[in-house]
């Protein structure tokens, strides 16, 4: 090929000045002939210089940009020839290993023709468009933590210009907080041990102008064969807006993914001579599916037969560890048996402590890329090895989707093919999105004003959900585009709805409660009062807001008690007196409920229940009860006295009778009356006027029986085992009469001069029943109890009283007489 003058045209690699320089020291290691020809310096001069000695970076504000242009050129340098004349260049760079050291190959693209007139950035070489227009800043560090690259977006985020930070150690800069540097070092050490190549961290820091921002750092690490860190590529996302908006929400952990789905070049990863990963573009180029390629085929399976020798030589060099990266042109056979020409780039990496190759392949059959553009694609791919999980869209000016990432596919459930070529209405929730406003946001973003807003989406399955969208202007294959990043905020939205619902419930509960409620700060000052409080105490919220509550409603004699209550950090309940606005007092039941967050009291609810009427009623009831208790005690006393009078009358009557049987009958009646009188005596002496301690009553009753019936001719031992139990009067009287009848019968009739005469009485409670057992060791009954003469008053009384108690009566007349009586302790209704 010839140029316009007929001379042989220079090829790309001989036409553009190229510089090979040390990654860390910036010392120039080698140059091509074109560099010497254009700059006028010999090779020795270059080898004694640094790449930065050739000139300086041109500030953006010194460039004259066409008025109609909406983008700003980036990365323009002004270099000086030996003659003193200046030239303008833009660099394309590629990092690789050379003689066991990390180097960069820089190609200086001359842009003199664009600088002479007004600059149209669109016409400039596309050296680093993805880096320039990505919404994230890109930063590169070397192994000594010195900054090697600082993008324009990084300048926008942090405020420091590239020339202020390039080449400087992060410890010398005030840009990064020590906590971030410490976390970075810790992660590098940890991931070096585990062989990992990327990690992410969040930071809080201060910009050059003093603003506080939150950033998320996505870091990719490269190592040499010895495992030492060579450099770190960081993508910095300014998440200040999202951080502040979602302060109460927990950020989900963001993972990197390979941004290969959106790439226009084939991408692959090889290990053990097999494909371990391929992107859709590589599948499209080869004609094979991902399933057919991954883990089953390798590069050798795709090679054209003519290329086998070339590939074998490359393999031999590679496996001998003579190179760490390569670039080669090959012919391959597609699945359809077509031959295509590809340019393949590869670099070594470590995966699971085993060597692997990662790289890109470009189909040059239909598209020949300039070497600088290819290297830019490789560098962009390496930097963007993993993508964030948020949905990312690239849209035309009219909103049409040009490209989407896997996050968008996962979010909506549509395939990429279903989304690309459609407008945002495909993803919009009908009736919840104003498309006119949406396109206004797109228009503003195209004018260079970043947009952030909430939007309602609709998934393929019909589910409607809220999301947060950020729009920034970008440049994609020479065309102005919108880069949209969307995040599903369903959890945040639901929590906000729940919060509003809870706040409304609280407001209505607080305001409409019939109880008096005051909301206080931790110092006891009034924040809010409800209507119930105003009605009870007469004060309004406007009158008392900000005033200590105790100073208003607590009487002077209750101040100390109120202070102790206010100092409590626990829920309490107490009854006290408080005063109204008109100085009248009110009896109240007080509940103190502290509100705690992280074990710290942030507010206190004071709840007051008016119990004045209850106090008055209680006093009246107590007074009435006391009067009734006095009256009942007097009744029991009088009943006892009246029974005593009756006993006395019977005693007098017995003295006038000559009939022995009549005298005995009167005496038995006296004992029965005495057993009842003794109960009434115990009741009026007891504090409880409805129940008596029956064990004490039984002891006294037996003592009376002994003194009345026992004589020296027939001694009888009475043994008692009575539990401590209380019985109501309705049970005590019939039970006492039963004991009187049975014990009297035993003393009078069971013994006839018997030695060792004994009567046993036990009274025990079990399972809600009383068990009364009375037995003697006398001569027993003359016949079965049920067949005894029913004319005997004692027998009739025993049966009648047992029935009155609702008792089960069992009588055994063999070997003495035993009465087993079981009755409920609850009494007789």
């Amino acid at each position: 090929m010839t140029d316009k003058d007929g001379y042989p045209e220079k090829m790309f690699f001989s036409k553009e000045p190229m510089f090979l320089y040390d990654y860390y020291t910036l010392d120039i290691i080698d140059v091509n002939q074109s560099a010497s020809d254009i700059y006028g310096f010999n090779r020795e001069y270059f080898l004694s210089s640094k790449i930065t000695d050739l000139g300086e970076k041109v500030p953006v504000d010194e460039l004259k940009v066409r008025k109609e242009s909406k983008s700003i050129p980036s990365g323009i340098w002004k270099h000086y020839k030996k003659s003193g004349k200046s030239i303008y260049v833009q660099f394309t760079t590629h990092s690789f290993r050379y003689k066991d050291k990390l180097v960069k190959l820089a190609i200086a693209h001359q842009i003199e023709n664009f600088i002479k007139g007004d600059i149209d950035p669109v016409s400039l070489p596309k050296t680093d468009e993805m880096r320039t227009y990505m919404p994230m800043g890109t930063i590169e560090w070397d192994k000594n933590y010195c900054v090697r690259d600082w993008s324009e977006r990084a300048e926008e985020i942090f405020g420091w210009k590239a020339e202020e930070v390039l080449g400087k150690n992060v410890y010398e800069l005030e840009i990064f907080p020590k906590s971030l540097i410490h976390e970075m070092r810790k992660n590098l050490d940890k991931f070096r041990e585990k062989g990992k190549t990327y990690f992410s961290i969040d930071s809080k820091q201060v910009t050059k102008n003093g603003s506080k921002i939150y950033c998320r750092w996505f870091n990719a690490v490269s190592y040499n064969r010895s495992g030492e860190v060579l450099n770190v590529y960081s993508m910095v996302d300014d998440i200040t807006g999202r951080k502040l908006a979602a302060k109460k929400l927990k950020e989900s952990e963001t993972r990197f993914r390979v941004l290969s789905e959106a790439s226009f070049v084939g991408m692959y990863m090889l290990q053990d001579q097999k494909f371990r990963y391929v992107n859709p573009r590589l599948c499209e180029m080869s004609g094979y599916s991902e399933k057919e390629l991954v883990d089953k085929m390798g590069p050798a399976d795709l090679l054209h037969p003519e290329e086998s020798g070339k590939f074998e030589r490359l393999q031999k060099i590679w496996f001998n560890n003579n190179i760490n990266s390569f670039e080669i042109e090959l012919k391959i056979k597609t699945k359809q048996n077509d031959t295509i020409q590809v340019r393949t780039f590869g670099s070594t990496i470590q995966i699971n402590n085993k060597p692997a190759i990662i790289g890109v392949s470009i189909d040059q059959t239909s598209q020949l890329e300039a070497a600088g553009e290819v290297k830019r694609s490789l560098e962009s791919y390496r930097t963007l090895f993993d993508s964030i999980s948020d949905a990312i869209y690239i849209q035309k000016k009219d909103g049409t989707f040009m490209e989407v990432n896997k996050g968008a596919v996962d979010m909506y459930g549509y395939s990429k093919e279903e989304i690309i070529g459609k407008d945002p209405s495909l993803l919009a929730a009908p009736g919840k999105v104003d498309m006119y406003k949406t396109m206004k946001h797109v228009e503003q973003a195209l004018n260079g004003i970043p947009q952030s807003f909430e939007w309602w989406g609709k998934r393929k399955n019909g589910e409607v959900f809220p999301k947060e969208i950020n729009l920034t202007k970008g440049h994609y294959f020479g065309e102005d585009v919108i880069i949209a990043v969307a995040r599903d905020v369903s959890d945040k939205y639901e929590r906000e709805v729940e919060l509003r619902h809870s706040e409304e419930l609280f407001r209505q509960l607080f305001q409409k409660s019939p109880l008096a409620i005051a909301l206080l700060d931790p110092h006891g000052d009034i924040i809010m009062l409800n209507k119930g409080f105003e009605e009870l105490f007469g004060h309004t919220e406007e009158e008392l807001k900000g005033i200590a509550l105790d100073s208003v409603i607590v009487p002077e004699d209750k101040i100390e008690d109120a202070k102790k209550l206010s100092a409590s950090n626990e829920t309490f309940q107490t009854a006290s007196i408080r005063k109204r606005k008109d100085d009248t007092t009110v009896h109240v039941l007080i509940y103190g409920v502290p509100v705690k967050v992280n074990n710290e009291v942030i507010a206190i609810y004071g709840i007051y229940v008016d119990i004045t009427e209850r106090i008055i009623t209680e006093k009246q009831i107590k007074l009435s009860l006391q009067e009734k208790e006095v009256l009942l005690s007097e009744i029991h006393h009088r009943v006892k006295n009246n029974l005593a009078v009756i006993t006395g009358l019977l005693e007098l009557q017995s003295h006038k009778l000559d009939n022995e049987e009549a005298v005995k009958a009167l005496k038995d009646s006296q004992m029965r009356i005495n057993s009842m009188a003794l109960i009434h005596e115990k009741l009026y002496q007891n504090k409880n006027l409805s129940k008596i301690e029956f064990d004490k009553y039984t002891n006294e009753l037996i003592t009376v029986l002994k003194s009345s019936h026992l004589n020296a001719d027939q001694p009888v031992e009475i043994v008692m085992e009575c539990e401590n139990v209380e019985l109501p009067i309705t049970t005590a009287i019939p039970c006492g009469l039963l004991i009187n009848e049975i014990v009297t019968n035993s003393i009078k009739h069971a013994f006839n001069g018997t030695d060792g005469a004994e009567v046993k009485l036990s009274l025990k409670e079990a399972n809600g029943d009383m068990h009364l057992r009375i037995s003697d060791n006398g001569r027993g009954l003359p016949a079965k109890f049920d067949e005894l003469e029913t004319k005997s008053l004692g027998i009739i009384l025993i049966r009648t009283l047992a029935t009155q108690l609702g008792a089960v009566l069992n009588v055994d007349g063999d070997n003495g007489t035993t009465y087993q009586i079981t009755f409920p302790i609850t009494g007789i209704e």
Side-chain angles (χ1 to χ4, degrees), residues 149-318:
D149 188 25
W150 187 268
S151 72
E152 286 79 4
R153 178 58 180 152
E155 293 181 350
E156 293 176 11
I157 293 174
F158 298 106
W160 276 274
K161 298 294 184 182
E163 51 267 26
E164 297 179 272
V165 299
L166 287 176
K168 294 184 179 179
N169 189 286
V170 294
Y171 291 103
E172 302 172 4
L173 301 171
E174 298 180 356
I175 301 174
F176 309 107
K178 292 181 179 178
S179 59
L180 173 64
I181 300 171
H182 174 73
E183 188 71 17
M184 185 81 75
R185 294 193 65 174
K186 184 173 72 173
N187 277 284
L188 286 176
D189 294 340
K190 180 170 65 176
F191 289 130
R192 179 172 55 216
E193 295 173 2
K194 296 183 177 180
K196 293 188 177 181
T197 58
Y198 63 87
F199 61 93
S200 64
I201 52 178
D202 288 357
S203 69
K204 179 181 178 182
Q205 49 205 96
V206 180
T207 65
K208 185 176 182 180
N209 65 9
S211 301
K212 293 181 180 179
I213 62 172
Y214 294 89
C215 294
R216 178 160 294 154
W217 299 71
F218 303 96
N219 309 283
V221 188
S222 62
Y223 305 92
N224 62 17
R225 288 193 298 272
S226 300
E228 296 177 341
V229 174
L230 295 176
N231 47 32
V232 181
Y233 294 92
S234 298
M235 293 184 64
V236 186
D237 188 7
D238 182 355
I239 61 171
T240 306
R242 281 176 280 162
K243 191 80 174 179
L244 295 178
K247 189 175 181 181
K248 296 181 180 179
L249 300 176
K250 183 179 180 182
E251 289 281 352
S252 61
E253 182 182 358
T254 307
R255 300 179 298 121
F256 277 116
R257 289 191 57 83
V258 178
L259 190 61
S260 60
E261 289 84 354
S263 180
F264 57 89
V265 297
M267 298 183 182
Y268 66 88
M269 184 178 72
L270 295 172
Q271 193 174 54
D272 298 330
Q273 302 186 48
K274 296 291 183 183
F275 290 111
R276 302 304 181 191
Y277 168 79
V278 294
N279 76 332
R281 176 57 181 152
L282 191 67
C283 294
E284 180 183 345
M285 289 164 55
S286 67
Y288 292 95
S289 68
E290 180 182 1
K291 187 175 182 181
E292 291 173 309
L293 289 172
V294 173
D295 297 332
K296 296 176 182 177
M297 299 178 67
D301 299 314
L302 301 178
L303 283 178
H304 192 281
E306 298 176 2
E307 304 285 47
S308 58
K310 185 190 296 185
F311 186 73
E312 287 173 0
R313 288 193 296 274
L314 176 63
Q315 274 189 315
K316 184 176 181 180
I317 297 172
W318 182 269

Side-chain angles (χ1 to χ4, degrees), residues 312-366:
E312 287 173 0
R313 288 193 296 274
L314 176 63
Q315 274 189 315
K316 184 176 181 180
I317 297 172
W318 182 269
F319 288 123
N320 289 333
N321 292 323
N322 293 330
I323 57 174
N324 289 321
S325 62
F326 65 86
E327 174 182 347
I328 189 172
E329 289 190 5
L330 295 167
K331 294 179 182 178
I332 68 170
K333 280 282 189 179
T334 69
K335 185 176 181 180
Q336 295 76 26
N337 209 32
D338 295 327
T339 300
I340 62 172
Q341 185 82 25
V342 298
R343 179 177 290 274
T344 299
F345 300 84
S347 295
T348 184
I349 60 173
Q350 290 287 324
I351 298 178
N352 297 326
N353 296 319
K354 293 177 62 178
I357 300 173
I358 189 168
V360 299
S361 292
I362 301 171
D363 183 1
Q364 292 188 324
T365 306
S366 59

Side-chain angles (χ1 to χ4, degrees), residues 746 750 774-781 811-819:
S746 293
I774 304 173
S775 63
D776 62 56
N777 58 355
R779 58 188 177 186
L781 297 175
V811 181
D812 183 2
D814 296 330
N815 297 320
T817 304
T818 300
Y819 292 86

